[in-house]
Amino acid sequence: MNRFRDLRGISTFSPEDADAFKDDPLFLRSVARTVAVMMAFQNARHPLSLSQVAAEAGIDRSAAQRIIHSLMKLDMLSRDPEDRGYLPGMRVLDMTHDLLRLNPMLQRANPVLLQLRRRVRERVDLSLFDDVRVIYALRMPSKHETFNATIVGNTVPTYCTAGGIAVLARLPACPMKRLQTLSAALT
């Protein structure tokens, strides 16, 4: 189980969660804080201010300012063109491209999905199961799709998708009971 997700599949990792790794001599708390800053944008609907990033990441403003500054120097974050806050930077797309390009399963699946999309003339997706959520990794839209429905990386609670239900049907009974408890908690 990925203990750093809420029931909607949104990352809940905060620097305090790094205590789970306190006995790991290779674990860097500074990296944990940086990841928390990057994850602050998961629920954002607009650019985030320094204070908003700090609050979402669970760190103080001073630490957030230093991390944001460093990430901006590395093009991992950028300023909104209208100066309304911070946004993920272009390098994040480079990392997404690397995952899609280098993952062997996604490499093998892409031509199959292309062929299926041509045959059925409807949207075809490949989702990755990640505990209580599925992540859309490959999406080939139909002509009737809206933009937000086709974004790679979009996450949906596992029990809310046909693919997720198919995955759940193949899990051992114990995780199924856990997921039933989780879905009951949401309703």
Side-chain angles (χ1 to χ4, degrees):
M1 177 183 149
N2 187 337
R3 64 179 172 258
F4 302 119
R5 305 245 178 258
D6 70 10
L7 296 179
R8 295 164 295 152
I10 302 300
S11 174
T12 59
F13 184 82
S14 72
E16 289 80 34
D17 294 328
D19 289 341
F21 306 104
K22 68 180 177 220
D23 296 330
D24 185 343
L26 297 177
F27 186 81
L28 295 173
R29 294 179 68 85
S30 60
V31 173
R33 288 190 301 273
T34 303
V35 168
V37 165
M38 292 300 296
M39 302 313 284
F41 295 92
Q42 277 193 313
N43 286 326
R45 302 232 180 247
H46 52 77
L48 298 179
S49 69
L50 174 63
S51 296
Q52 290 170 320
V53 171
E56 286 292 320
I59 59 177
D60 62 57
R61 279 179 47 96
S62 176
Q65 183 178 31
R66 291 189 311 273
I67 292 170
I68 287 171
H69 175 78
S70 298
L71 290 171
M72 286 182 63
K73 292 289 185 188
L74 299 169
D75 292 330
M76 295 299 289
L77 290 181
S78 63
R79 285 294 284 175
D80 172 50
E82 297 176 12
D83 201 30
R84 295 184 181 172
Y86 300 96
L87 298 166
M90 296 290 245
R91 296 259 188 248
V92 174
L93 287 176
D94 291 339
M95 295 172 70
T96 302
H97 176 256
D98 293 341
L99 169 71
L100 295 173
R101 179 177 55 84
L102 296 172
N103 183 295
M105 181 192 57
L106 297 177
Q107 288 174 353
R108 290 189 305 275
N110 203 32
V112 174
L113 289 177
L114 281 169
Q115 183 179 15
L116 182 60
R117 166 66 178 83
R118 284 187 199 112
R119 189 174 294 164
V120 299
R121 295 186 178 148
E122 291 295 333
R123 183 184 77 218
V124 179
D125 301 321
L126 184 138
S127 307
L128 303 175
F129 175 61
D130 183 32
D131 192 34
V132 298
R133 68 182 187 158
V134 292
I135 306 167
Y136 290 105
L138 297 175
R139 302 201 81 179
M140 300 185 183
S142 70
K143 292 181 180 180
H144 315 293
E145 294 290 332
T146 61
F147 174 70
N148 286 340
T150 63
I151 297 176
V152 169
N154 187 30
T155 62
V156 181
T158 303
Y159 69 91
C160 292
T161 67
I165 291 170
V167 168
L168 294 175
R170 301 292 299 179
L171 290 177
C174 183
M176 284 297 290
K177 289 179 185 175
R178 183 177 149 269
L179 216 44
Q180 289 169 347
T181 304
L182 292 174
S183 65
L186 282 175
T187 57

